Amino acid sequence: MTYKEKLSKIRAQMKADRVDAYIIPSADPHISEYLPKHYKCIPFASGFTGSAGTLVITHDFAGLWTDFRYFEQAGEQLNDSGFELVKQKIQHAPEYIQWLNQKLDKGAVVATDEKLLSVLLGDLLTQQLSAKGISLQSKDYLSPIWENRPELPENKAFLIDEEQAGQSVSSKLAAVRAELLNHQADYHFVSSLDDIAWLFNIRGTDVSFNPVVLSFALISHDHATLFIHPGKLTEEEKLALLKSGTEVLPYEEIERALKQIPANVSVLIDPKRNCYAYAKLIPASVRIIKELNPSTSLKAVKNEVELSNTREAMLKDGVAITRFLKWLEDNIGKTKVTELSAAAELRKYRAEQDGFIGDSFNTISAYKAHGALPHYAPSAESDTEVKAESLFLVDSGGQYFYGTTDITRTIPMGETTAQERKDYTLVLKGMIEGCSAIFPKGTCGYQIDAITRKPLWDHAINYGHGTGHGVGYFLNVHEGPQVFNPTNTPVPVELGMITSVEPGVYRPGRHGIRIENLVTTIAIQENEFNEFYGFETLTIAPISTSIVIKDLLEKAQVDWLNAYNTSVFEKLSPALNDEERQWLKEATKAI
């Protein structure tokens, strides 16, 4: 069935139900970033495979709303699909709601599968559409036309022990319950898979890149229930959870459990991480408290075991990155290297490391102009040969049994232009400023974002994505609640958080540059002015200095760069052979 035929069948159902517009979000009932195949609705309906977007279908128009990261990809993938690209002005903003209000007549009907809507988005849609008398209905128009739709995964899950997690399940539940008391909540409903994985020390392979398990949780002050496919855990693992105060019930039982929440109690739900359909199952007499999941903030602050293990993962990852960079230098111009073959080679080096279980996201392997696409993913059609000139951007990460990594290096491949050298140096300067920032307790991510951008702003240069995101511990590579971006998000940068610092410069049609390290927040000093924090850099991999314009850097920045590369050599060299060690020594020599 072609995409146009699918579109026609959706419209036929809309006509039969007298629905004027149908919305297909990129989500599942857990409001996940990465989706199991069963919920990859946008690729099924339109062919677009980007991780952010929304399809809106009316009887005379079909569009994909997505942001600047995917404009080129969407333009190619939507060709002859019946869908048009609608370019969002603001990343993640549901701008299609305003479009629907302008397009539809009063009294019109909009439908969507409410299992794929967050509570926040469902409330927003209902509020903004109802102002014009437009109603929202829950409809699933994909299942009837989706032949051989993939089943939900039934892969085995596993528990990680307290020694690996650094904290028991019972103590994590106690911490969550303390927060429920603060919010005067009797129950807590959790749908977000990373929160559940952290709470119950459980990991799995149900979703690409994120080691999570399809599940729900319902927690009260004296009981916890994990809703999961029965075959995912062994009887021994279920017994271990029971000893922690957690009952295990089938995944599908969550709907019944929500309907049976006692009358006149209160339930805390995260409106960004729970679906609209399930929130509506909670009895009307129950008071709903809409707040951030307590576990989101708790798991963002890594304990000493998690930090120690993450440092070990960084050593393993650094060895893999070093071997990849050496391989690249040894082979470029001698054998054919492409974006895809380079990404495969990098994964091979990671796979050789103890504890590696997979990539933490789809590797961005982007040569020359492809580097100007921040979320470029090479395909068989776009795969480009990497030659001995210009710049090669590689953004990648690994999942290890003891940590999650995320690193970007922009690699000079040979002859470069003056513009490339200047842009590279300014990005490096911004990254150094972000990583070496010292700031008072209470500082929020938007302030770190500004510090990192200033070296670029000084040259009237900016970038459209955020400067940094939180990173999980053997969990999601994108983790909240902290974020380093211009949004005035009131989340302080706390001790023990792991966050990326990744400024960039993107010149469409020419080149893209991004340099990324992960950092954890540490205490610097306390005085009469405040407690002051800074960052420990966790990433251990050489930063190329071959095209750095030293005059653009201040002495402190040169000192930071030299000290960092020296540290990389000292930490990695014991794990390398003589040839690799000599290569790294040359790659990390001071400027």
Side-chain angles (χ1 to χ4, degrees), residues 408-475:
T408 308
R409 292 293 184 261
T410 300
I411 310 153
M413 301 308 303
E415 185 177 347
T416 53
T417 66
Q419 185 71 74
E420 288 171 332
R421 293 190 290 275
K422 181 179 179 181
D423 286 348
Y424 181 91
T425 305
L426 292 177
V427 170
L428 176 57
K429 186 173 183 175
M431 197 274 290
I432 293 171
E433 285 297 279
C435 290
S436 58
I438 296 175
F439 48 92
K441 178 181 179 179
T443 294
C444 294
Y446 59 88
Q447 294 165 291
I448 305 299
D449 179 85
I451 290 170
T452 307
R453 289 177 193 267
K454 188 178 184 302
L456 295 161
W457 287 348
D458 287 343
H459 292 262
I461 298 172
N462 199 14
Y463 48 94
H465 58 75
T467 290
H469 55 83
V471 177
Y473 169 70
F474 183 25
L475 261 180

Side-chain angles (χ1 to χ4, degrees), residues 309-323 349-350 352-356 400 402 405 540 572 575:
N309 288 349
T310 296
R311 293 185 185 101
E312 181 66 23
M314 294 295 174
L315 280 170
K316 302 292 185 183
D317 211 58
V319 169
I321 292 290
T322 298
R323 288 175 174 159
Y349 286 120
R350 278 200 172 102
E352 293 171 353
Q353 302 303 309
D354 177 61
F356 176 77
Y400 298 81
Y402 37 81
T405 70
I540 309 170
L572 296 184

Side-chain angles (χ1 to χ4, degrees), residues 502-550:
E502 47 181 311
V505 168
Y506 309 96
R507 297 189 184 274
R510 287 182 277 174
H511 63 261
I513 298 162
R514 185 165 64 255
I515 305 172
E516 173 188 19
N517 277 352
L518 299 189
V519 298
T520 185
T521 314
I522 59 173
I524 298 295
Q525 71 176 69
E526 183 175 355
N527 56 32
E528 66 269 32
F529 300 106
N530 203 334
E531 294 178 49
F532 280 81
Y533 296 166
F535 294 126
E536 171 196 342
T537 299
L538 296 172
T539 303
I540 309 170
I543 296 174
S544 176
T545 59
S546 63
I547 63 170
V548 170
I549 303 172
K550 190 174 179 180

Side-chain angles (χ1 to χ4, degrees), residues 8 204 210 235 342:
S8 177
N210 296 340
E235 292 305 315

Side-chain angles (χ1 to χ4, degrees), residues 80-123:
D80 201 35
S81 68
F83 288 86
E84 297 180 23
L85 170 62
V86 182
K87 296 181 178 181
Q88 286 182 202
K89 297 179 177 65
I90 301 173
Q91 193 174 348
H92 303 305
E95 296 170 359
Y96 58 87
I97 300 178
Q98 183 179 2
W99 182 87
L100 286 169
N101 264 319
Q102 294 171 347
K103 172 77 174 178
L104 301 180
D105 295 331
K106 186 175 181 179
V109 176
V110 173
T112 188
D113 184 347
E114 292 182 352
K115 287 185 178 181
L116 311 184
L117 279 187
S118 70
V119 174
L120 183 68
L121 185 53
D123 287 344

